[in-house]
Structure formats: C-alpha cells, structure tokens
Amino acid sequence: MNGFSPLESQGVAVIGLGYVGLPLAVEFGKARPVIGFDIDAARIDELASGQDRTREVGPEDLGQAGQLTFTSRLEDIAGCRIYTITVPTPIDAHKQPDLTPLLKASESIGRVLKKGDLVIYESTVYPGATEEDCVPVLERVSGLTFNQDFFCGYSPERINPGDKSHRLPDIRKVTSGSTPETADRVDALYAQIITAGTFKAESIRVAEAAKVIENTQRDLNIALVNELAIIFNRMGIDTQAVLEAAGTKWNFLPFRPGLVGGHCIGVDPYYLTHKAEATGYHPQVILAGRRINDGMGAYVAGQMVKAMLKKRIQVDGARVLVLGLTFKENCPDLRNTRVVDVIAELEDFGAQVDVHDPWADAAEAKLEYGIDLVARPEHGIYSGIVLAVAHSQFREMGSEAIRAFGSGNHVLHDLKYLLSKSESDLRL
C-alpha cells in the first residue's frame, strides 16, 4: 500500500485540543502512541495536570490514555507519520467562512511533513476546502507533492459538547481519502477506536458535503419551528401544546423553538452558502432559515419588553436577570452563543442586565463578550427574568426559587420549556 509502514506502528499527532481534538487524542491514546498538540501552552499545562476546562474528558479518561502526551512545541511532533487537524472553523463578522485557524495549522504541519505522511482534517468546511485550500498550503510549505509524497484524508467530527450519552466511540464515523489506498488507510485508522463503525465516503468532497448538510438540515428544522412559534404567538396559541399534539404522529420530528448558536448549527450553513454563491447559485431556503434563527434574540427581547410593559413595568432602568449564557445546557462552551443577542437587545431598551451561569467561565465571558457574570444573583430585585439555558441547576431550582429573584411585580420568560405553562409568564 504505497510502501507505508504498518498502521499500528505510526505515531499520531492531534492538532488542536478543544472539544473535538481532546476526546480524539484520548481515544487514540488508549491504543497507540499519540501526541496532542496545541499552540496554547496554558492548555497543555492544564491537560498535563489531568484537568480539562471543557469538561468533555475527565481525569480518569486522561489516565486511561496511557500512550498520550501533550506539547505546544512543533518540533515534538516532527516524528509522527499521521497528523489529524481538529482546529475551529468559525465565521467572521460578515458571516463568511474564516479558514485562518485551519490554514495556520496546515502551515505548521507543512513544516514537519515528510514523504509518506498522512494529514487528516476533521474541521467542518465547505466541499473542496481540503484539496483546494489546505493542500496547496501543505505543498508550498513542505515542498512535497500531494498524492505522490504525502496524502490527505477527511473525517468530519461529530462531537456533541456536553452530551454524555453519545461519546466519540459511540458515533459512527464518516471517513475518506485522497486516493483509494488512502481512504482504506484512514478508514482502518478510525475503525480502531470507533466501536459504532465507520462509513467510507467515495471522496473527500462527498465527506465534506455530508458534514456541512448535517447541521444545515437541523438549522432549517429549528428555523421552521421558530417561525411557527412567532405565528402561533400572534394567534394566542401555545407553541409547546401544538408541538406535543403534532408529536403524536409517528413521523413528526421533535424539534423545539429557541436560540441557535454554537460552533456547528449556527455556523456550518454559512460555509455551504458561501461555496454555493462561489458557483453562481444564490441559496434561498438555507439563508431564509438563517435569517429567522439569527433574528430570534431580538424577537425574544421584544416579547419580554412587551410583557413587562403590559405589567406597567418601566423597562428603561429595569433590572433583568438572564439565567444562562452558554450556547447549550450543561456545557461550558460559549462559542457563538446567541444569548448575547437577547442581552444586547434588552440593553438597547435601557434595561440593566445581569447574567448568571454556573457552567460558564467568568474570564472567558468577559474576554469574548465583555460580560461580567454574576456569581450569586440577589433575591427580590429583578423586574424581568429570562430563563435562557436549560442547565440542570436551573431545572432543579424550580419556579419558586427562580421567581424569588424577581421583585413583587416581574416577568418570567422561559425560553427552554423548563417550567410548565402556568409557572411562567411567557415562553416561546
């Protein structure tokens, strides 16, 4: 097979040790020599001490990965033969793909790339990005020739942050390679750690496209129920009651309205639409769904303000408590959280907003969004309470404890259906 040494003897380097890279490095580290690489030296020190701030991997998991080491020095991974890149692929302020982390990681790997090496990308991209954007960087920096001196694969990540039921080995993995032999090699590599099995796509572009539409499909389904929630609200119909009734049909999909953020669902569709527009096609359905979901923060704040005014609460200067800042429940991930849209809109109306989140890192919230988290909200002072994230701590509190934060006259807006209809004043 192209003269490659046996797969089991090849050292693996995992580039980027976030929500995706660390679980991957841990699983590989249970079976083979692996070096986890990250440019953040503080992150390396943290992991070396057995701690993971993302809470995706516990100390016991790190302990089981007996062949895993960590480094922030590029020269330490120069002896590896397989490089797996798991860096973020965000969007910029104009909602355009930002491949900067991916291209910088490719430059780094290009400096240590050798003949016979394999580079596998896991980051979400548009179809063609691996071979059209990343490979030229690898060739330029290394001086090697693609599919002659080195080879590439693509195996899209399917990590769901905070989900303890669906872990990396339990999620079927799509694999692909730049040649038939490479595809077999990539598939065999992941088959060693994925107990749920693998699916070998016919090309890298197919695997890239499969990944980007997984979250685009979810985005559109959520956009539909968000639009339905807006319509039903105008009709005075409870959306949750409608969805429960419709859900009695066997093939009705159980999506719920809400804020759509995070590193996947709120981002991936823009990668697909960017590539579509580059081909001369202007996507309509996908972008319509994005507009609806991107506008939900302003809609939620507007509904909150209307409810407060109906209770004769002066919004300008009112104290409002937002419970939850992370993009999803029971997870410290703040990337692309759309709770910030609700906060910004309420502040535009003149409200003084406090934010409390037992999962979020206070320093990260301040750095990324300029938000000072409140560690212990005061009782009896808030004219408005927005239950924005369904953390288990908030679920366990119940309506009485949550309402205790409110003043004598206040509005409780439950975005996550944590409370019953009778226990909240407002919900999506």
Side-chain angles (χ1 to χ4, degrees):
M1 190 166 61
N2 288 330
F4 294 134
S5 57
L7 192 64
E8 294 77 9
S9 66
Q10 297 169 4
V12 175
V14 177
I15 316 304
L17 298 175
Y19 288 86
V20 174
L22 181 59
L24 183 68
V26 166
E27 291 304 321
F28 275 137
K30 295 175 182 178
R32 60 192 304 134
V34 178
I35 302 176
F37 173 86
D38 201 289
I39 59 174
D40 184 351
R43 174 70 168 158
I44 295 302
D45 291 340
E46 165 194 312
L47 293 173
S49 68
Q51 301 300 315
D52 170 31
R53 74 183 74 142
T54 70
R55 308 192 202 182
E56 288 299 303
V57 173
E60 66 284 355
D61 296 309
L62 288 170
Q64 291 173 6
Q67 300 184 71
L68 171 61
T69 57
F70 300 105
T71 186
S72 59
R73 292 158 33 101
L74 187 63
E75 55 267 33
D76 290 342
I77 64 173
C80 294
R81 304 311 307 268
I82 301 172
Y83 299 93
T84 303
I85 297 179
T86 62
V87 298
T89 44
I91 53 176
D92 62 21
H94 305 289
K95 301 188 187 303
Q96 293 298 306
D98 181 5
L99 294 181
T100 302
L102 196 62
L103 297 180
K104 284 185 176 295
S106 298
E107 287 181 1
S108 296
I109 297 309
R111 291 198 284 272
V112 296
L113 200 62
K114 306 168 293 302
K115 285 189 175 183
D117 283 356
L118 171 63
V119 183
I120 305 171
Y121 290 88
E122 288 211 5
S123 306
T124 302
V125 292
Y126 45 74
T130 298
E131 292 160 300
E132 297 168 12
D133 296 287
C134 299
V135 164
V137 173
L138 294 172
E139 287 188 311
R140 173 177 56 80
V141 177
S142 69
L144 301 175
T145 301
F146 178 50
N147 279 342
Q148 177 179 312
D149 299 320
F150 72 92
F151 304 84
C152 283
Y154 183 78
S155 181
E157 60 89 4
R158 282 177 166 171
I159 294 294
N160 186 24
D163 188 342
K164 302 305 180 184
S165 299
H166 302 91
R167 310 305 289 168
L168 175 65
D170 310 318
I171 304 170
R172 195 174 183 191
K173 200 87 162 70
V174 174
T175 66
S176 63
S178 56
T179 67
E181 294 82 8
T182 304
D184 290 340
R185 187 182 176 198
V186 173
D187 195 71
L189 175 70
Y190 283 104
Q192 293 179 339
I193 62 169
I194 306 298
T195 57
T198 60
F199 179 90
K200 187 165 56 176
E202 65 180 46
S203 69
I204 288 177
R205 288 168 62 89
V206 166
E208 291 168 328
K211 168 58 180 176
V212 81
I213 71 165
E214 288 174 13
N215 289 318
T216 299
Q217 182 185 67
R218 286 181 55 78
D219 191 44
L220 285 171
N221 277 297
I222 297 171
L224 172 61
V225 293
N226 274 336
E227 188 166 57
L228 291 174
I230 294 171
I231 294 170
F232 293 145
N233 178 266
R234 288 174 173 266
M235 295 178 177
I237 302 173
D238 183 65
T239 302
Q240 177 70 359
V242 175
L243 294 175
E244 287 176 355
T248 60
K249 189 167 188 279
W250 72 90
N251 59 354
F252 186 82
L253 301 178
F255 287 93
R256 291 294 182 267
L259 304 174
V260 183
H263 66 294
C264 287
I265 301 178
V267 172
D268 295 358
Y270 287 119
Y271 274 76
L272 183 57
T273 57
H274 168 82
K275 190 65 174 181
E277 289 171 340
T279 68
Y281 178 76
H282 181 72
Q284 299 178 58
V285 174
I286 297 172
L287 288 176
R290 279 280 78 231
R291 284 191 294 272
I292 292 170
N293 287 341
D294 278 346
M296 287 305 291
Y299 175 75
V300 165
Q303 292 301 108
M304 183 71 177
V305 168
K306 288 179 183 178
M308 292 173 70
L309 292 175
K310 287 180 180 179
K311 284 196 169 189
R312 300 290 190 269
I313 299 172
Q314 181 175 321
V315 178
D316 188 14
R319 298 287 298 276
V320 175
L321 175 64
V322 173
L323 294 174
L325 181 62
T326 62
F327 91 88
K328 65 178 294 186
E329 67 275 6
N330 302 329
C331 171
D333 197 344
L334 290 173
R335 288 176 295 174
N336 194 39
T337 174
R338 298 317 339 141
V339 179
V340 296
D341 298 340
V342 180
I343 297 168
E345 194 75 11
L346 289 171
E347 290 177 339
D348 282 347
F349 279 107
Q352 299 179 39
V353 182
D354 287 345
V355 183
H356 171 64
D357 192 314
W359 281 83
D361 180 77
E364 185 181 357
K366 180 65 173 179
L367 177 66
E368 294 297 324
Y369 301 109
I371 293 174
D372 292 303
L373 294 179
V374 175
R376 298 178 187 276
E378 295 183 50
H379 286 79
I381 68 168
Y382 295 102
S383 300
I385 304 170
V386 180
L387 188 47
V389 185
H391 291 318
S392 56
Q393 289 92 333
F394 301 150
R395 188 183 299 275
E396 292 165 4
M397 287 175 67
S399 62
E400 185 175 343
I402 291 173
R403 280 200 179 274
F405 294 124
S407 59
N409 186 27
H410 67 271
V411 173
L412 172 57
H413 194 348
D414 179 10
L415 306 187
K416 302 302 294 185
Y417 299 96
L418 280 185
L419 309 176
S420 68
K421 182 180 178 181
S422 62
E423 292 175 319
S424 61
D425 301 305
L426 194 64
R427 58 184 188 173
L428 281 174

